[in-house]
Amino acid sequence: MNKPPRRVGWLVLALLLAGCDIVSFSAPGAATAPAGAPSATRAATATPALTALPAPELLNRALAARSVGEYDDAALDTRALLDAHPTSAEARPAAFYLAESFVLRARWTSAIEALRAFLASGPQPGPNQPPEDLYARAVFLLARSYEAAGDWASAVAQYERYRTFNTVLEPYARLREAAQQQALGQNEPAAQSYEAAARSDIVAGERAGAYEKAIALRKQLGQNDAALALYRTLLGFAESPEYRARILSEAAALADTQGVANDARAWRRELAEKLPATSQALDAVAALIADPQGGLAPAAAAQVYARHEQWNSALPFYDTAIASASGDDARELRRLKALAQRGSSDFTGALEQLAAIAAEAPNSEPGRQAQLDWVQTRGQQGDTQAAIDGYREFATAYPDDPRAPEALSRAATLLGRLNDSEGVIRQQLDLGARYPASEQAHDALYSAGWALFQRNRTAEARNAWETLRQHTQGIVASQAAFWSALTLGPQATEYPTLLAAARDAAPDSYYATRAADLLGTPITGTVTLDSPISAESWRATEDWLAAWSNQPAMHLAEQGYPAEVAQAPAVLRAIALNDVGLQPEAIAEWNAARSAWHADPSKLYLLARLAYDHNVPYIALKAAEDVARAAPDASFAHAPEALRRLIFPTPYSSVLLAQAREYKLDPLALYALLRQESLFNPGATSWVGARGLAQVMPATAQGIAQNLGIAEFHEQDLYRPALSIRFGAFYLGHQLNSMQGSLQGALAAYNGGPGNAQRWAGGTTVADPDGFTEAIDFAETRNYVKLVYGYYGAYQRLYSIPTER
């Protein structure tokens, strides 16, 4: 059969698309525009100005708009290209991206029409002939569109069609096909499809989910033996404690029904012995105790009950276990029994038992810990002063015991409960003097210094911070040097020296950035913010890596990517998943490669480069951090320029620069905020529901949309980079204005809420930015402000902002 000329094919496609809603707009003069509307500088239709542009330029514009989530703009450009240049080489990709834009905007009817037209108008794959990439992607997207539209039978047909292409996404097509088969009530084929996907080498989480769905279907079909076999396979790689506990419990219950008692017992013993803190462990213990052949050790049963604070249930099992133990093993069980007695409010019995253990073997591990438990029990009994004395006596008696610093730290905490603030300071200073290199001393000396500083005892505060600085490095030393400088003031000779020490100890920290502010030495990078990483910078990084990794130098400019990385199945799947709009699944595959290569810095570097090449800044950032941490000094600050640019990237630069200018923000401060919020993962969702690059909460986003006059806003729009950046810039700019230009105040408001920020500032003016930051009483927000401000300094050291064009 003769094929029509390509021009006819595109004309047919254009006619079909004419019935599709390219964009939707409010009536002229309306106060609002839809969330998906083109940007303010773009026309609402394919205007003569657009159609006059060359085809390559139109396609590049469309792809640029697509990359930031401006899907209406991308549709306009591709439609203009098809109208003006139907026979150009760019016409076929333009037709694909126009059809894809309907998928990305969840306009499923239009997507189905456009994708079918695209598939019908182009070259058709022959038997045993792989299709062109865009054709295969279109089939997958068509299947997804039928799925979303509720046409499950058509979705199954298209997923089956896609699977004949034998691409790296065949298992993912299987998974989605299985869900459609299940929706159609085709449980046996669905179970087979889930099992086929589960047997593949896709990420463990997807495989586990597939096994669970297959298990559920096998149970529905009455095929319990098959379900039990699947449980065994799943347990071969289920690792997360909470998840494994649930699967073990379910498998044991099914094994009971199938008469496989030994398997059920073994799985329940694992729950009790290895996962005692899980809720399933309690049920496992109950079942094993009731089973004459349960085989559970009394100590394991006691441990489970104790972890769940069922003290009275634990006590008889401790007694049984103690009767058959000896030496330190028996003493440890007695100590644990004493803690169970304490938990059941038998303080007298607990104290007697702990004292007896300590007297028998004061220098054994159970004996030492029993002494501390005795002290803690006195405190819980209400004798706080006796507990304070006891902790001090322990540290005096056993000065070399690694628990001694913690004992003194607990004494300081108890003094605080007695409202003895001066006693707290003295105890903290004593801890710092005796164990200056300990983690407990770091917190104690800083806290003591801060308390003294607030009391205007600046000389004592400085002594505390100087002790801290001399015995630490990195961020702790930077913090100590910074506050030592502030105790002296700008007129002191040592002031600039101490600030310089704060800057140099942890260059990417809050204290380094503030030290530079106070020194009046502007931090100015030399790399233009929107410039690509140069070949010279890449090569320098590769030479640096070879110098310490004991691996030969690789120069990608000459050698290219080795196949073991570029063709790794996880990497290929990640790239292909992103191409069909499955971004979370793509991120999971990228992370699977990171995990597989966690001990190989060269492969991690290559992975970072690949992610950078494919515009996945989140993975490039994380892999680059992995490389920097593996280096001898484990420092981001001293990594070569190319690696630092991956760690502190500048994606979406044209959008971000425009929004920063719109809301009068420093673009580098906005980049610092986005880095902390999402690590530049546009699909990020927090545990509380914040979404997108700027992690805006949906309720807050609704208010921003109203302020910006955006109608038809949907929560999913927050995953579009351009919109998320716009909303984040608007909200940060609003908080910056509210807090009278204080960046620390604005950041505190962004994270902790404007009301709290004003409470911490005593109004809307932040007179002392450093005192304000330290006084924030939400630890999360205090750390947030410090991290973002430190990243701001890192961005300043790297980049210069391009002049406005």
Side-chain angles (χ1 to χ4, degrees), residues 434-493:
R434 293 165 69 176
Y435 302 100
S438 68
E439 289 291 331
Q440 294 86 351
H442 298 174
D443 293 336
L445 287 169
Y446 178 74
S447 296
W450 180 245
L452 291 164
F453 184 73
Q454 290 179 305
R455 289 166 170 74
N456 292 318
R457 292 158 63 179
T458 54
E460 293 174 84
R462 189 186 169 212
N463 286 338
W465 286 328
E466 276 299 293
T467 300
L468 181 60
R469 183 170 77 93
Q470 291 165 11
H471 291 89
T472 57
Q473 56 187 357
I475 183 68
V476 178
S478 178
Q479 180 186 45
F482 180 82
W483 282 105
S484 289
L486 265 58
T487 62
L488 295 172
Q491 280 68 47
T493 304

Side-chain angles (χ1 to χ4, degrees), residues 71 109 143 227 259 293 315 412 426 451 551 593 617 709 737 752 802:
Y71 304 129
T109 300
Q293 300 178 53
L315 287 169
R426 289 197 305 272
Q551 295 176 322
N737 288 334

Side-chain angles (χ1 to χ4, degrees), residues 174-199:
R174 276 271 197 183
L175 277 175
R176 302 183 79 91
E177 180 184 345
Q180 309 317 298
Q181 291 169 323
Q182 189 173 359
L184 291 166
Q186 301 171 0
N187 287 353
E188 178 62 37
Q192 292 176 7
S193 294
Y194 281 129
E195 289 167 23
R199 288 191 297 268

Side-chain angles (χ1 to χ4, degrees), residues 482-626:
F482 180 82
W483 282 105
S484 289
L486 265 58
T487 62
L488 295 172
Q491 280 68 47
T493 304
E494 302 99 316
Y495 181 78
T497 303
L498 286 168
L499 288 179
R503 179 194 62 205
D504 296 341
D508 293 335
S509 70
Y510 171 89
Y511 301 103
T513 306
R514 283 293 297 138
D517 293 342
L518 295 175
L519 285 168
T521 54
I523 309 172
T524 306
T526 58
V527 177
T528 303
L529 187 142
D530 54 358
S531 64
I533 299 176
S534 69
E536 294 78 9
S537 186
W538 286 126
R539 189 180 184 94
T541 299
E542 290 156 4
D543 290 340
W544 166 84
L545 180 60
W548 59 265
S549 66
N550 297 319
Q551 295 176 322
M554 58 181 128
H555 296 131
L556 293 188
E558 295 90 18
Q559 302 167 6
Y561 288 104
E564 61 180 329
V565 172
Q567 299 299 312
V571 170
L572 294 177
R573 285 193 296 265
I575 295 167
L577 284 163
N578 198 64
D579 285 343
V580 295
L582 299 181
Q583 194 260 359
E585 292 90 337
I587 291 296
E589 291 283 1
W590 283 113
N591 275 324
R594 273 185 64 219
S595 178
W597 299 332
H598 72 278
D600 190 329
S602 294
K603 285 185 178 177
L604 287 170
Y605 166 74
L606 293 168
L607 186 69
R609 285 285 306 266
L610 274 169
Y612 174 82
D613 290 346
H614 287 276
N615 299 312
V616 190
Y618 166 70
I619 293 297
L621 185 159
K622 295 300 292 181
E625 284 187 338
D626 294 340

